[in-house]
Structure formats: structure tokens, C-alpha cells
Amino acid sequence: MTPSGAKVETALRDGVFRIWLSRPERHNALVPELIADLRAAIVKAGEAEPVALVLSGRGHSFSTGGDISGFLAHAGSLKELRTYAEELVGGLHDAILDLLAFPAPVLAAVNGPVTGGSTGLMLAADMVAMSERAFVQPYYCEVGFAPDGGWTALLPDRIGTAAALRIQYLNERIGAEKARALGIADSVRPLSQLEAEIDAWTSAIGQGFGQTHKATRANVWDAERLGAVRHRLDREKDRFLDLIARPETLSGMKDFGKKRA
């Protein structure tokens, strides 16, 4: 089902549509091509009318957010950098909204670290199973970016405003058990048992009426709520584009890239 060269992989098994982010050599860091492939896969998943949609990552990480090397490769001119950032962040936000509006339950199998804007893909899931070695961390204040991917649009509603702000101010690393305590994750398992947990969930979901699950999700993520999230995500994107245009942000990206090299 997966086109050659695609940066996501897909499979339909037992009525469950699975999508894997597949840029493991870069820890599934986000680039526009990956986001485009992800959005196309979500459309294909909807056409399959699955019992559930499961999102995960190949390799050691779920996703480490926007690829810093991608931003730096377009930093030759301010216009080019802003255009690239708008394509990436805008596409990511569209993908998050695609997941929120999906007509069947959305599950995330978080196999490894989740950082930066890719956290929004996890926050868009109804149920999240995390590997014991996985963690969530913002990193924005180390680079100079404004938060994107729902760190201000979705996370405060999930864990409370004060906790969401503290985590971002202090660049806190949220381990798997803490993520469960905060309500970001529903289950923590050894990596070897992660798929079994997802299979148990999809089996239980499949025993219920799909039309009921569809109606439930549509009622929760109605036009009003999706519109509010879209407004907040647009505000995140605008502030991201503002800060990425500043010289100190370019310096922050270069320093961060050296640290991660």
C-alpha cells in the first residue's frame, strides 16, 4: 500500500489502518514531504472506513519535530525561510486537524521520543500507548522558536494551563509514567508489548458499533471545537513565523544543531 520513496508507511490489517512515520535515519523529524505523505495517508485511511486509525513511528523515535537541518537549508534568505516554515508548520497543523476530524477512533503507539511540534500528532489521538523509554519534550526555548503543533493550542486543555506553561518554560522532559499521570498517555508498556496493547484496544473497539464511535467522535470534535483549535493553531503558526525571522533564532538553530550532531 506504500508508494516507493514515501516518508510514511501504511497497512490495512483486520480492519485497522496503520500509519508509520518513516524517516528513521532522521528520527522521523518533520519535513514538508513527510507531512504531505502523512496527510495523503490519512485521506486513504478515511476511504478505507477502518475500525480505527493507528499512528506510530519507525526506528527509535516517534518523531523529533521539525528537522532543524531543513530550516537551516532554507536560511539563505528570510523570504525562503519563512516560506519553508509556513509550509511545514501549516502542513503539520492541517495534519493535526485531519486527525481530529477523522471519522473513526485514532490511536497512537508512541515507540520513542516525541519532541517539538510532532507532539501535536500524539495530542490528536484519542488513546495513547507509550513505550517505557519514550518521552515528550518541547525544546522551543532552547532554539528560539515559538511553540507549534498544539503546545499552546491543545496541551493546556489536556493537562491544565499552569502545568503546560511550566513544562515549556523549563523545557521539562515528560517521561512515559509522568505522561500517563498527566493524562497525555493512557498506557505505558515495554516496547516489545506496545503492539499487543494497541491490538487489544482495536479488538475491543471493533466489538462495538462503528457508527456509534463515528457519532461520538463527530460530537466531540464538532465544527465549533475544531474551529477553536484551528484559530489557536493559526496563532501558533503566525508567532512561529515571526520568531523564525529573527537573527537570534537563526543563531539558536545553529547552536542546537551543533549540540544534536
Side-chain angles (χ1 to χ4, degrees), residues 189-204:
R189 292 286 183 268
L191 181 61
S192 61
Q193 298 177 18
L194 200 61
E195 284 303 311
E197 181 76 310
I198 293 293
D199 288 344
W201 285 352
T202 56
S203 177

Side-chain angles (χ1 to χ4, degrees), residues 13-14 16 18 51-52 54 105 107-109 127 129 187 189 192-208 213:
R13 295 197 301 264
D14 300 323
V16 177
R18 295 173 180 267
V51 169
V54 179
L107 314 182
M127 299 168 66
S187 176
R189 292 286 183 268
S192 61
Q193 298 177 18
L194 200 61
E195 284 303 311
E197 181 76 310
I198 293 293
D199 288 344
W201 285 352
T202 56
S203 177
I205 289 169
Q207 292 175 25
H213 300 324

Side-chain angles (χ1 to χ4, degrees), residues 64-211:
T64 52
D67 195 328
I68 294 293
S69 66
F71 289 110
L72 291 174
H74 293 81
S77 75
L78 179 57
K79 181 179 179 181
E80 184 181 345
L81 179 59
R82 284 177 60 91
T83 298
Y84 177 83
E86 183 162 16
E87 182 181 8
L88 178 58
V89 176
L92 170 62
H93 290 177
D94 286 339
I96 291 168
L97 289 162
D98 291 343
L99 291 170
L100 293 176
F102 195 76
V106 175
L107 314 182
V110 179
N111 55 301
V114 188
T115 64
S118 58
T119 304
L121 302 175
M122 176 180 168
L123 294 174
D126 304 320
M127 299 168 66
V128 175
M130 286 186 77
S131 162
E132 290 176 333
R133 66 182 181 85
F135 64 85
V136 180
Q137 194 165 3
Y139 282 113
Y140 295 105
C141 63
E142 286 199 7
V143 184
F145 289 159
D148 66 336
W151 277 91
T152 61
L154 291 168
L155 188 63
D157 288 343
R158 181 73 67 87
I159 68 172
T161 302
L165 289 171
R166 185 195 70 245
I167 288 165
Q168 293 178 75
Y169 292 155
L170 302 180
N171 191 32
E172 287 186 13
R173 177 168 293 191
I174 308 168
E177 289 294 349
K178 185 173 182 180
R180 178 164 60 178
L182 286 170
I184 300 173
D186 300 281
S187 176
V188 176
R189 292 286 183 268
L191 181 61
S192 61
Q193 298 177 18
L194 200 61
E195 284 303 311
E197 181 76 310
I198 293 293
D199 288 344
W201 285 352
T202 56
S203 177
I205 289 169
Q207 292 175 25
F209 278 101
Q211 64 187 22

Side-chain angles (χ1 to χ4, degrees), residues 39 89-95 97-98 100 153-154 223-237:
R39 295 196 68 202
V89 176
L92 170 62
H93 290 177
D94 286 339
L97 289 162
D98 291 343
L100 293 176
L154 291 168
E224 183 178 3
R225 182 170 288 179
L226 286 173
V229 173
R230 163 62 80 181
H231 174 73
R232 292 175 181 176
L233 289 173
D234 285 347
R235 186 168 55 200
E236 285 188 350
K237 183 183 70 173

